[in-house]
Amino acid sequence: MNTALEEKLGNQYMSPSQIARRLTEGWTAANLYCPRCGSDHLIHETANRPVKDFSCPACGAVYEQKSRQNGFSKKTAGGAYEAMIDRIKSTTNPDFLFMNYSRADMRVHDLFAVPKFFFTPKIVEKREPLSPTAKRAGWTGCNILLHDIPEQGRIYIIENSVPLEKAVVIKKFAAALKLEVKEMATRSWLLDILNCVNKTAGEEFTLAKIYDFEEKLSAIHPENNNIRAKIRQQLQMLRDRGLIEFAGRGRYRKAAL
């Protein structure tokens, strides 16, 4: 996989945002395979088409791409807030591609995919509406809170300028499919508990360690009055899906994926 951006793709544009879009989406169209099924290429959809930038001709997967220069922080711009929330809740929401690139050396430095079922309204941060004097007065954007997406849902294709083996990427995407949940409330709980598991040190952890997150989980899910029972239920779901293993007497082991 060639990580170099093709500079001439942006030559006919004046707007920095148009140049960036042409460079990054042009790279994806020319270089990227489908991380879901391994199809050798993706179809570049019509410019400004809602919801999707790319689609897979083999499995039909749909992707929306977000690109940024000089690395991703804990959050990144995600477009209009209401549209993003509607997209996440729909049955046709896309998988996402997040690209970090540099104009200095004209290369893609990092690229990772996030399967659509790792998105919940909780990871979308509402921004303040634009001021009355702005060109799009009242428009409300959002940020995607990347640090709230479990590591199992951030599937690197290029990391630190080095492309990962295609077979490894496809295997990790297949492993992530174990976490697919359509019902939003259940999805939210499962991913929140997975984040708690990920934050425990080492390969083994105890039920008591996950209970340490009770206060935080209660703040996220104020409608639930029995957090500990919900924790045990979600750990059972993670075990059934092969993400953790029961080691006996309140102990669990993280499964290698």
Side-chain angles (χ1 to χ4, degrees):
M1 179 183 288
N2 183 4
T3 61
L5 298 170
E6 195 170 350
E7 189 167 11
K8 67 180 182 181
L9 292 177
N11 287 346
Q12 60 182 303
Y13 300 96
M14 297 297 292
S15 165
S17 61
Q18 287 181 316
I19 293 172
R21 184 179 181 89
R22 189 68 187 92
L23 289 175
T24 56
E25 292 190 0
W27 180 93
T28 300
N31 292 276
L32 190 58
Y33 54 86
C34 176
R36 272 186 177 263
C37 74
S39 175
D40 287 339
H41 74 283
L42 297 174
I43 296 172
H44 194 188
E45 298 292 342
T46 305
N48 298 319
R49 185 168 181 176
V51 178
K52 63 180 178 179
D53 297 315
F54 298 93
S55 62
C56 175
C59 71
V62 174
Y63 298 92
E64 182 171 341
Q65 182 166 302
K66 300 290 184 184
S67 302
R68 181 171 175 172
Q69 285 198 72
N70 305 321
F72 285 105
S73 59
K74 292 183 177 181
K75 62 178 72 174
T76 190
Y81 175 76
E82 293 296 342
M84 179 63 74
I85 294 297
D86 289 344
R87 196 177 312 167
I88 288 172
K89 292 180 177 179
S90 77
T91 58
T92 57
N93 57 320
D95 296 323
F96 275 79
L97 298 169
F98 292 93
M99 177 189 290
N100 160 36
Y101 69 100
S102 171
R103 291 289 300 276
D105 61 6
M106 291 298 289
R107 289 196 174 273
V108 178
H109 287 248
D110 298 285
L111 175 68
F112 60 92
V114 178
K116 57 188 177 182
F117 47 87
F118 279 86
F119 278 79
T120 65
K122 184 176 67 68
I123 70 165
V124 179
E125 178 183 64
K126 189 175 184 179
R127 296 164 65 180
E128 291 294 324
L130 294 182
S131 69
T133 58
K135 186 175 181 180
R136 293 189 293 170
W139 184 85
T140 304
C142 71
N143 295 315
I144 298 172
L145 303 179
L146 295 174
H147 64 293
D148 280 351
I149 300 173
E151 61 188 57
Q152 292 84 351
R154 287 173 272 142
I155 302 162
Y156 276 86
I157 300 167
I158 300 173
E159 188 170 15
N160 296 324
S161 303
V162 178
L164 278 70
E165 290 291 335
K166 181 177 178 180
V168 171
V169 174
I170 295 170
K171 182 179 179 181
K172 287 188 175 183
F173 209 113
L177 291 174
K178 297 176 182 178
L179 288 160
E180 185 167 11
V181 176
K182 291 183 171 57
E183 204 278 316
M184 188 59 70
T186 303
R187 180 194 303 179
S188 181
W189 262 107
L190 188 67
L191 297 180
D192 287 342
I193 296 301
L194 180 58
N195 268 330
C196 295
V197 170
N198 289 339
K199 289 175 182 176
T200 61
E203 294 304 309
E204 290 197 2
F205 63 95
T206 63
L207 179 59
K209 282 291 183 183
I210 307 302
Y211 282 165
D212 287 344
F213 295 95
E214 183 177 3
E215 185 175 348
K216 180 179 179 180
L217 291 167
S218 182
I220 298 172
H221 301 276
E223 76 288 348
N224 190 289
N225 296 316
N226 198 344
I227 299 296
R228 292 195 173 196
K230 198 68 175 180
I231 287 172
R232 294 192 297 272
Q233 179 196 62
Q234 298 305 305
L235 289 174
Q236 178 70 49
M237 287 186 67
L238 289 174
R239 189 186 76 169
D240 292 346
R241 291 165 184 264
L243 274 293
I244 60 175
E245 300 167 355
F246 184 56
R249 301 180 65 84
R251 294 182 297 110
Y252 296 86
R253 184 180 302 110
K254 301 173 187 178
L257 297 179

